[in-house]
């Protein structure tokens, strides 16, 4: 694995992280640093551990009984996997948007307000709902129908609502797991434009199978691949990590060159 050192401040450090599901090694020995207020893309073939690593960052793997994470994940210098660290606190700081839009079967307003209330917010809920919807570039489209059911929105609007809901708890990092894979090209463009805007205030990590999307939205890119493990299955590993410009135009590893050029496989 090769890695280009970042020249900006780091908010998240991954130090020799491996992930197991039962006795099966899903991801092995990952080292990388996530720079603050930038977009980092994870690319690679299916099964290479991109989403597995993403779920480590807000401890969603805790919800899988057979999952086990070794190594260290440091958020602002604190190992988030230490027993004394509350995963709920981690998820307040590191929010997530999933592959398919998953709004609650509630009003547009309540989708955002619910997230605010359960996190004990004591300020003006109306004000924060509006701010979150504005930050997600959705306010102008829904401001006159906040009482409507969120499921009445289009797929792209639902995904932006889910982004607003994630932003409402005011995280520092936003994780996006294939956020456009279920959307049409126009909705995808809106999400990509939104990502460009959000990185001014948030650190974003996006998993995508779309290399063109990765090259458009990210400043750093990590390429993952798979290899046979000791049990005959396949494990993911990090091949190369650097600026998006370097990964797409001057990759150092042959596997990266093959994947970027379409010769992979």
């Amino acid at each position: 694995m090769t890695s280009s050192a970042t020249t900006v401040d780091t908010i998240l450090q991954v130090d020799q992280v491996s992930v197991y599901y039962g006795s099966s090694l899903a991801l092995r020995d990952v080292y990388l640093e996530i720079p603050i207020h930038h977009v980092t893309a994870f690319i690679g073939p299916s099964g290479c551990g991109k989403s597995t690593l993403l779920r480590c960052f807000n401890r969603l793997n805790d919800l899988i009984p057979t999952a086990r994470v070794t190594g260290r994940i440091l958020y602002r210098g604190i190992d988030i996997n230490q027993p004394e660290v509350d995963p709920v606190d981690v998820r307040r700081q590191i929010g997530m948007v999933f592959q398919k839009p998953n709004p609650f079967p509630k009003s547009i307003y309540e989708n955002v307000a619910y997230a605010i209330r359960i996190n004990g917010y004591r300020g003006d809920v109306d004000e924060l709902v509006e701010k979150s919807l504005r930050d997600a570039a959705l306010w102008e489209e829904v401001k006159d129908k906040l009482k409507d059911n969120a499921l009445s929105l289009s797929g792209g609007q639902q995904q932006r609502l889910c982004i607003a809901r994630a932003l409402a708890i005011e995280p520092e990092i936003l994780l996006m797991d294939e956020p456009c894979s279920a959307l049409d090209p126009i909705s995808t463009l809106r999400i990509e434009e939104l990502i460009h805007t959000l990185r001014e205030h948030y650190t974003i990590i996006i998993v995508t199978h779309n290399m063109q999307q990765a090259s458009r939205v990210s400043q750093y890119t990590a390429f993952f691949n798979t290899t046979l493990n000791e049990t005959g299955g396949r494990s993911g590993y990090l091949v190369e990590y650097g600026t998006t410009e370097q990964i797409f135009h001057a990759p150092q590893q042959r596997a990266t060159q093959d994947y970027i050029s379409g010769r992979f496989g």
Side-chain angles (χ1 to χ4, degrees), residues 2 17 34 67 85 133 139 146 158 168 195 200 204 233:
T2 63
V17 166
I34 302 296
V85 175
L133 290 168
W139 174 253
L146 294 176
Q158 287 185 20
I195 290 171
E200 296 178 12
I204 299 173

Side-chain angles (χ1 to χ4, degrees), residues 2 11 13 26 36 39 48 55 62 81 93 102 120 123 138 170 186 204 214 224-225 261 263 265:
T2 63
I11 192 170
Q13 293 176 285
I36 193 169
V39 181
C48 67
R55 289 194 297 268
D62 289 14
N81 288 316
Q93 299 299 320
N102 59 342
L138 190 58
E170 302 180 312
I186 293 175
I204 299 173
F224 295 81
N225 199 1
S261 66
R263 298 192 301 268

Side-chain angles (χ1 to χ4, degrees), residues 38 62 77 81 97 100 119 128 130 142 152 213 219 233 249 256:
H38 287 74
D62 289 14
N81 288 316
V97 176
K100 292 183 179 180
N119 278 279
L128 188 51
E130 178 177 341
V142 303
S152 67
Q213 181 174 79
Q219 291 76 53
H249 298 288
T256 314

Side-chain angles (χ1 to χ4, degrees), residues 34 76 92 100 114 162 164 216 226:
I34 302 296
R76 291 196 173 278
R92 287 194 185 104
K100 292 183 179 180
Y114 178 77
C162 293
R216 287 192 297 264
T226 64

Side-chain angles (χ1 to χ4, degrees), residues 106-112 126 129-130 133 138-139 141-150 161:
K106 299 174 179 287
S107 71
I108 294 167
Y109 178 92
E110 281 300 321
N111 261 268
V112 183
D126 289 351
V129 167
E130 178 177 341
L133 290 168
L138 190 58
W139 174 253
E141 297 170 47
V142 303
K143 63 182 180 181
D144 297 322
K145 48 184 179 181
L146 294 176
K147 294 182 180 179
D148 290 3
N149 194 301
L161 179 62

Side-chain angles (χ1 to χ4, degrees), residues 110-202:
E110 281 300 321
N111 261 268
V112 183
Y114 178 77
I116 295 169
R117 293 193 191 104
I118 64 171
N119 278 279
Y121 183 70
R122 298 180 182 276
D124 187 328
V125 173
D126 289 351
E127 184 178 320
L128 188 51
V129 167
E130 178 177 341
K131 179 183 182 300
S132 301
L133 290 168
R134 285 189 183 278
D135 287 349
L138 190 58
W139 174 253
E140 293 300 326
E141 297 170 47
V142 303
K143 63 182 180 181
D144 297 322
K145 48 184 179 181
L146 294 176
K147 294 182 180 179
D148 290 3
N149 194 301
L151 300 179
S152 67
L153 297 174
S154 69
Q157 289 174 322
Q158 287 185 20
Q159 190 64 302
R160 279 182 283 145
L161 179 62
C162 293
I163 292 172
R165 191 173 65 197
L167 297 179
I169 61 174
E170 302 180 312
E172 272 202 296
I173 300 173
L174 187 62
L175 310 176
M176 294 183 161
D177 192 0
E178 298 259 13
C180 302
S181 64
L183 304 182
D184 60 82
I186 293 175
S187 297
T188 294
L189 178 61
R190 296 295 300 274
I191 298 293
E192 290 183 2
E193 291 172 341
L194 177 58
I195 290 171
H196 279 295
T197 302
L198 290 175
R199 79 177 180 89
E200 296 178 12
H201 304 287
Y202 303 91

